[in-house]
Amino acid sequence: MMDQFAHFFGILFELCTRPSNLLVLFGSSLLGILFGSMPGLTATLGVALLTTLTYNLDTSTALISLLGMYVGAIYGGSYPAILINIPGTPAAAATAMDGYPLALKGDGGRALGLTTTASLIGTVIGLICLVVLSPLIASFALQFTSWEFFLLALFGIVISGTLTSSDLVVKGWIAGFIGLFMATIGRDTLQFYPRYTFEQSQLDSGLEIVPVLIGAFAIPQIIRVLAEKQTLRKAEKFGRILPDFRTIARNIKHIVRSSMIGVGIGSVPGVGEDIAGWVSYSTAKNTSTKQQQEEFGKGSAAGLVSSETANNASIGGALIPLLTLGIPGSPPAAMLLGALLLHGVVPGPTIEAEHPGFLLEITAIMVMASFAMWANGMLLAKQVIKILSIPSPLFIPVVGVLCILGSYALGLNLFNLYLMLPVGIVAFVLSENKFPISPLVIGLVLGGMADESLRRALMISDGSFLPMLQRPVCLILVLFILYFLLSQFGPVKRCTQRLFSRFKPAVGG
């Protein structure tokens, strides 16, 4: 253990003592806060665009910039949520519930100070969970066979489709299986047989993940912002931004619980920070006294710190399945997976064997990113707020150009543009019809693992599915998948609701 601590601080010291690293760190963190604070620009889009600029950087510098952007963007969404009642990112939607009422009372500076400190604490607790749990999960996953990896991938697609659909759940599943189908394009890795390539040599190696992800996340966002022509209201005035440690101490139970909620929800494939914020906000309200509940929605500090702690804690949670199993826990983590693959790092149970010290390096970078976010938030918030007066449509053409340049720069391949644009248009049509995009991306990312693992397992078992039912982890995953599929049918749904209602605790004091 002491050796691990010494190794960790050695990596941290080495990274911190390079001026170029600090410059990249604070620059990307500030860029992330700017991205998060602009309604219409999301953390996923920010990480996607920055990925295209890291092709020629070494892996450490690329990760510093991407994690700095990721942490900063999730936090930055709280600025417009508090000051103009419009969340900059979906993750900050719950923050607006109590942040804006505080700003109307003239406490905008105090609210920003609380969210900045809560975000720092949430990120640090999330990465502590990352450090503690990742080696255990990776060690456990080394016992997995192809059957477990196939079922894990299928479970990720099903649960992502179930939890992210705002309309019919089946739409989430359809989106997931569209992504799964896209992952089968190209020559299969076991027998090198061409599938859906239509004799196009560019498709032999399959779809490039980065252009597809840029198209899926950026193009719909660009079309939507240009179509809506959203005008922002004037930001409320706020005073000095100070960390209100007394309020933080009074709400420490909400902060700790919200961190655990954030890590737990963040680790569920494809779900992400926005759901963590709402679940944590709702839990804080339900576990408060009746008198405290009346303050929610009117400027409650407990509601504010709960949502902000949870959405930043989910970053660490999203990295746990990403690094140990190769399964991204959120859309920005899916983009991060694409960046890691670009730099030759394949996440999974063997990551520590192939890249010794990688988990400690990620942890050290996350620590640096957390403190860079806090310092930028405390010192530069007033300057960042000024950008809210600039209409989003003015930024969007620049974002569009960066998408095109970034996709083309990947191997200087024009085919990536032919790939990005249709995927973006299809993603826009799907999202306008309330098909969630996250399951599509999760399906694409996990499709290769599901396809290869299933075929390899069937080859070993001579085409029999029986070995799958003889392994305990497989049986648990099969039961979970069946539960999520069957729970959408009326009789099963009613039985489940009646069962859970018996265990529902009395709330509200």
Side-chain angles (χ1 to χ4, degrees):
M1 182 63 77
M2 293 305 294
D3 290 343
Q4 290 289 310
F5 271 111
H7 192 192
F8 168 74
F9 284 109
I11 293 173
L12 186 63
F13 180 77
E14 186 182 346
L15 291 173
C16 288
T17 49
R18 290 184 192 167
S20 60
N21 283 346
L22 294 178
L23 189 64
V24 169
L25 175 69
F26 280 91
S28 58
S29 175
L30 182 60
L31 194 61
I33 294 173
L34 288 171
F35 248 82
S37 64
M38 284 299 298
L41 305 183
T42 63
T44 310
L45 183 56
V47 176
L49 291 178
L50 198 59
T51 298
T52 63
L53 302 177
T54 63
Y55 297 150
N56 297 321
L57 299 179
D58 63 83
T59 306
S60 289
T61 311
L63 286 175
I64 288 172
S65 63
L66 292 170
L67 289 174
M69 162 69 85
Y70 188 1
V71 174
I74 295 297
Y75 156 72
S78 65
Y79 283 48
I82 291 171
L83 297 176
I84 59 176
N85 202 25
I86 296 176
T89 59
T95 304
M97 295 291 290
D98 285 295
Y100 187 61
L102 279 171
L104 290 177
K105 294 176 186 175
D107 285 336
R110 176 171 167 259
L112 286 172
L114 283 173
T115 55
T116 306
T117 309
S119 296
L120 170 67
I121 296 172
T123 309
V124 170
I125 293 179
L127 72 89
I128 290 173
C129 293
L130 171 70
V131 174
V132 173
L133 296 178
S134 291
L136 299 176
I137 295 174
S139 174
F140 183 61
L142 284 174
Q143 312 301 320
F144 287 1
T145 63
S146 297
W147 287 115
E148 278 90 353
F149 282 109
F150 162 67
L151 288 170
L152 268 176
L154 190 61
F155 174 70
I157 295 166
V158 170
I159 195 172
S160 171
T162 304
L163 298 181
T164 59
S165 183
S166 61
D167 192 15
L168 296 173
V169 170
V170 70
K171 289 187 176 180
W173 297 341
I174 291 172
F177 284 97
I178 290 175
L180 200 57
F181 163 72
M182 290 168 70
T184 62
I185 295 174
R187 290 184 181 272
D188 79 85
T189 51
L190 295 181
Q191 294 171 308
F192 212 57
Y193 187 81
R195 299 179 299 189
Y196 312 113
T197 56
F198 305 104
E199 299 183 353
Q200 298 292 317
S201 59
Q202 295 94 336
L203 291 175
D204 278 349
S205 56
L207 301 181
E208 286 281 1
I209 285 183
V210 173
V212 171
L213 294 189
I214 290 176
F217 287 116
I219 302 296
Q221 202 68 23
I222 290 171
I223 297 173
R224 209 168 287 126
V225 171
L226 291 177
E228 290 175 354
K229 295 180 180 176
Q230 189 179 38
T231 55
L232 304 181
R233 68 178 74 179
K234 191 177 178 183
E236 297 294 325
K237 290 182 179 178
F238 60 96
R240 290 186 66 188
I241 299 174
L242 294 171
D244 186 353
F245 291 119
R246 285 187 180 178
T247 306
I248 292 289
R250 276 201 302 273
N251 290 286
I252 195 67
K253 67 174 184 180
H254 293 300
I255 289 173
V256 172
R257 184 185 55 240
S258 300
S259 299
M260 294 300 110
I261 291 173
V263 171
I265 292 180
S267 61
V268 178
V271 177
E273 296 81 8
D274 43 342
I275 293 179
W278 279 115
V279 171
S280 178
Y281 182 85
S282 174
T283 307
K285 186 176 180 180
N286 288 336
T287 54
S288 298
T289 63
K290 194 170 182 180
Q291 187 181 6
Q292 290 169 337
Q293 284 183 7
E294 291 175 358
E295 295 177 15
F296 278 73
K298 300 174 184 174
S300 165
L304 188 67
V305 297
S306 295
S307 61
E308 272 303 301
T309 304
N311 64 30
N312 268 72
S314 10
I315 297 174
L319 293 180
I320 293 173
L322 170 67
L323 296 175
T324 57
L325 301 171
I327 298 174
S330 68
M335 201 59 246
L336 204 58
L337 172 62
L340 287 173
L341 294 175
L342 272 181
H343 288 273
V345 179
V346 181
T350 58
I351 192 168
E352 272 298 287
E354 294 169 1
H355 304 276
F358 187 76
L359 289 176
L360 289 177
E361 186 178 353
I362 287 280
T363 307
I365 293 172
M366 284 286 288
V367 170
M368 293 166 62
S370 306
F371 282 96
M373 173 211 73
W374 189 83
N376 277 331
M378 285 294 168
L379 300 175
L380 301 175
K382 287 194 175 182
Q383 283 68 35
V384 172
I385 296 303
K386 291 176 183 173
I387 205 168
L388 292 178
S389 60
I390 303 174
S392 300
L394 291 182
F395 283 99
I396 288 301
V398 178
V399 173
V401 171
L402 287 175
C403 290
I404 293 171
L405 290 177
S407 297
Y408 175 70
L410 181 61
L412 299 178
N413 191 350
L414 201 59
F415 185 76
N416 289 339
L417 297 182
Y418 300 147
L419 186 62
M420 180 191 75
L421 289 173
V423 168
I425 292 169
V426 170
F428 174 72
V429 172
L430 287 174
S431 59
E432 285 299 295
N433 288 284
K434 296 187 178 179
F435 286 81
I437 300 303
S438 295
L440 185 148
V441 171
I442 296 294
L444 173 66
V445 170
L446 299 183
M449 183 169 91
D451 176 37
E452 187 179 332
S453 299
L454 176 62
R455 294 175 65 240
R456 179 176 284 119
L458 288 173
M459 288 167 75
I460 294 171
S461 66
D462 291 328
S464 171
F465 281 90
L466 193 59
M468 182 175 75
L469 303 176
Q470 294 172 338
R471 300 183 64 81
V473 174
C474 287
L475 270 178
I476 293 170
L477 288 169
V478 167
L479 289 175
F480 270 116
I481 292 168
L482 287 176
Y483 166 73
F484 279 107
L485 292 175
L486 296 176
S487 64
Q488 302 308 314
F489 293 96
V492 180
K493 195 173 186 176
R494 284 192 291 276
C495 286
T496 308
Q497 286 173 345
R498 275 201 293 270
L499 183 65
F500 279 107
S501 66
R502 294 185 180 181
F503 299 99
K504 190 175 181 181
V507 296

